[in-house]
Amino acid sequence: MAILPLALAGVRFVRAGETLLGPLDLELGACGTSVVIGPNGAGKSLLLRLCHGLLAPSAGRVRWCGADAGSAAQRQAMVFQQPVVLRRSVLANVDYALALRGLPRRERQRRAAEALALAGLEALARRPAHVLSGGERQRLALARVWALRPEVLFLDEPTASLDPAATAAVEALIGRFRQAGTVVVMTTHDLGQARRLADEVLFLYRGQVRERAPAAAFFAAPACAEARAFVRGELLW
Amino acid sequence: MTDLSTAFATALRLITTLDAALVEIVTLSLRVSFGAVLVACVLGLPLGAALALARFPGRQALVVLGNALMGLPPVVAGLVVYLLLSRAGPLGEFGLLFTPSAMVIAQVVLITPIIAALARQVVEDLWASLGEQLRSLGAGPWRAVPTLLWEGRFSLVTVVLAGFGRSIAEVGAVIIVGGNIAHVTRTMTTAIALETSRGDLPLALGLGFVLMLLAVLVNGAAYWIRDFARARGG
């Protein structure tokens, strides 16, 4: 049973009379990792928030089409650019998310231990989460959603403020989600990261999906002029 | 001048020998204030958090009203509670007027708005930074109330101490509903007011010292707790 695919039909997002995103007609979830790229203000974060249900579209519909769509909220997770941790221990941060799902204590302990081990945080389990470094926090955020076993994972620029070593650790974790069969939808500013992780690329420009293609094809020869300029590293806004 | 120094010496003696009358008054003051703070927290913290997260028509008006009540004149609070508890009042049958319970009630009326309004601010700020993540994890506003109260625990300690400070130093409301009856409803502040007007300066001054000392202790505790939190990575 699955909640995917995710269909956006005529989705628009308007704020203060200005259309920031859309109209979009889009289906997501057919392939492993979809990477959304585009300049600042293109609507990348907005798109993720609409998909995840944190924002409601001004028009149109965001719909989970799978047989299990009723439990969609429980089967997806999101990690933000600024990892948000609660003022409690590393372990308790993971446990909190599991408790919200109503899992029994035994199961919570098992999953939390497994997730922290995966993220290389077992040694820090009893530390207050607030003393962690930026990279460790992001790994904790990923461990927390790993424990939830989502079918779909949204990542909003997960390595935007991290150094190369921390970025590598986070990308390795994202790889584990892919191996586990989780569909990943992520945004990034880092074209190198997009090349490393993407199965398909969505190029977003001024609130519109201007191009969508398998990663290899996209990076070999972007079809639209803006995407070509963007990939070449020209400043686009 | 000699009057003052005599009073000073006597006050010190009353404190250092733990004078029975002094101890009785201090004890009652602490009992009333702790009781009032406890009830005000049970009411005010969830109320403030709920007000921070709930969205309903009239919410802003309620927030403004709550903030305004922070400055409620104690004598007005005392008068209202007096009218409610007096023999002819709606709660007169319980015979609470001129008892410590009446003083606790008056203090609760005074400090619940303070605790609720300050807690609302703390929780609102936390929700602004944590809200998306909590919603993403599946915690709606109601489930988030206890989470955010716990998250803001170090800031909320200061909020609670602010309520305690107001309560322990307040005289207008407790003198109206308590009546300043010796051995029954005489607190530090009401005793200071009475003894000063009667000219018994040593006891008034001694109580004044204790009151100041408590203020310093309370603020010291608040400072220490913040410090402790910061040391732990707050």
Side-chain angles (χ1 to χ4, degrees):
Chain A
M1 297 278 266
I3 59 171
L4 287 165
L6 172 64
L8 280 68
V11 166
R12 277 158 53 92
F13 189 80
V14 181
R15 187 166 281 169
E18 195 186 351
T19 299
L20 300 179
L21 192 71
L24 290 180
D25 288 283
L26 202 61
E27 197 169 285
L28 284 169
C31 75
T33 301
S34 304
V35 175
V36 183
I37 59 172
N40 275 334
K44 303 188 296 291
S45 295
L46 218 48
L47 175 62
L48 253 55
R49 282 167 169 75
L50 284 163
C51 289
H52 189 37
L54 289 174
L55 290 173
S58 311
R61 239 155 76 86
V62 177
R63 198 162 67 89
W64 297 91
C65 306
D68 220 6
S71 61
Q74 305 262 319
R75 303 278 297 275
Q76 52 175 311
M78 181 156 170
V79 168
F80 300 84
Q81 181 175 349
Q82 292 295 331
V84 179
V85 297
L86 297 174
R87 200 179 280 275
R88 46 184 92 190
S89 77
V90 168
L91 180 64
N93 264 277
V94 180
D95 186 71
Y96 177 80
L98 292 169
L100 284 178
R101 291 279 197 271
L103 293 167
R105 177 182 294 266
R106 269 279 174 75
E107 178 69 5
R108 296 200 317 253
Q109 284 170 341
R110 204 178 59 73
R111 286 202 196 184
E114 181 211 310
L116 289 181
L118 182 86
L121 293 169
E122 324 92 304
L124 303 176
R126 302 282 160 197
R127 285 282 177 86
H130 269 80
V131 305
L132 298 184
S133 69
E136 287 166 341
R137 278 187 192 212
Q138 196 58 290
R139 269 150 60 205
L140 171 56
L142 283 161
R144 185 164 57 192
V145 296
W146 176 270
L148 297 175
R149 311 261 157 85
E151 185 181 328
V152 188
L153 175 61
F154 297 102
L155 301 167
D156 189 13
E157 310 220 8
T159 60
S161 44
L162 301 182
D163 65 17
T167 299
V170 166
E171 286 187 9
L173 273 172
I174 296 171
R176 296 299 297 267
F177 277 97
R178 290 170 50 142
Q179 284 167 23
T182 305
V183 168
V184 175
V185 181
M186 67 180 287
T187 67
T188 184
H189 261 122
D190 179 348
L191 284 175
Q193 181 169 67
R195 285 175 202 269
R196 288 191 293 277
L197 298 178
D199 291 314
E200 67 159 353
V201 172
L202 284 83
F203 177 70
L204 208 60
Y205 185 65
R206 296 193 176 163
Q208 299 283 345
V209 177
R210 296 295 296 272
E211 187 166 347
R212 180 179 189 177
F218 178 86
F219 286 113
C224 74
E226 289 88 354
R228 273 198 299 277
F230 186 73
V231 170
R232 274 200 307 271
E234 286 171 27
L235 296 175
L236 208 61
W237 60 86
Chain B
M1 199 59 215
T2 36
D3 269 3
L4 193 63
S5 52
T6 319
F8 214 78
T10 318
L12 276 180
R13 190 178 51 73
L14 286 174
I15 294 172
T16 49
T17 59
L18 292 178
D19 176 75
L22 185 96
V23 168
E24 186 185 15
I25 291 170
V26 171
T27 309
L28 178 69
S29 282
L30 289 175
R31 257 178 53 205
V32 168
S33 291
F34 276 126
V37 167
L38 194 70
V39 176
C41 284
V42 169
L43 296 174
L45 291 178
L47 189 70
L51 213 49
L53 302 184
R55 293 288 173 273
F56 55 90
R59 173 183 171 271
Q60 275 185 328
L62 214 58
V63 168
V64 171
L65 182 71
N67 288 349
L69 282 177
M70 281 180 31
L72 182 68
V75 285
V76 174
L79 178 61
V80 170
V81 173
Y82 181 93
L83 291 172
L84 290 174
L85 298 183
S86 64
R87 283 280 165 228
L91 305 172
E93 58 185 301
F94 298 107
L96 289 174
L97 199 60
F98 305 133
T99 66
S101 302
M103 299 197 289
V104 170
I105 292 169
Q107 300 263 7
V108 166
V109 170
L110 275 179
I111 62 180
T112 301
I114 296 178
I115 290 180
L118 295 177
R120 180 192 60 76
Q121 194 59 55
V122 168
V123 171
E124 217 166 82
D125 292 347
L126 282 172
W127 183 246
S129 59
L130 300 179
E132 269 198 332
Q133 178 70 75
L134 292 180
R135 281 167 56 216
S136 169
L137 291 174
W142 292 114
R143 177 61 184 78
V145 165
T147 305
L148 293 174
L149 285 177
W150 182 244
E151 192 67 15
R153 57 197 179 277
F154 296 115
S155 307
L156 291 174
V157 166
T158 315
V159 170
V160 172
L161 289 178
F164 181 78
R166 162 95 162 180
S167 161
I168 194 86
E170 190 281 321
V171 57
V174 290
I175 209 164
I176 291 177
V177 302
N180 192 24
I181 303 165
H183 309 303
V184 185
T185 58
R186 184 159 297 169
T187 65
M188 286 190 275
T189 51
T190 63
I192 290 173
L194 176 73
E195 303 304 342
T196 304
S197 66
R198 283 207 315 205
D200 184 357
L201 294 182
L203 183 57
L205 208 54
L207 288 165
F209 282 145
V210 176
L211 208 47
M212 292 294 294
L213 193 67
L214 282 170
V216 170
L217 283 177
V218 163
N219 281 292
Y223 186 84
W224 178 80
I225 286 168
R226 289 235 127 182
D227 219 38
F228 175 76
R230 207 167 294 139
R232 288 204 48 187

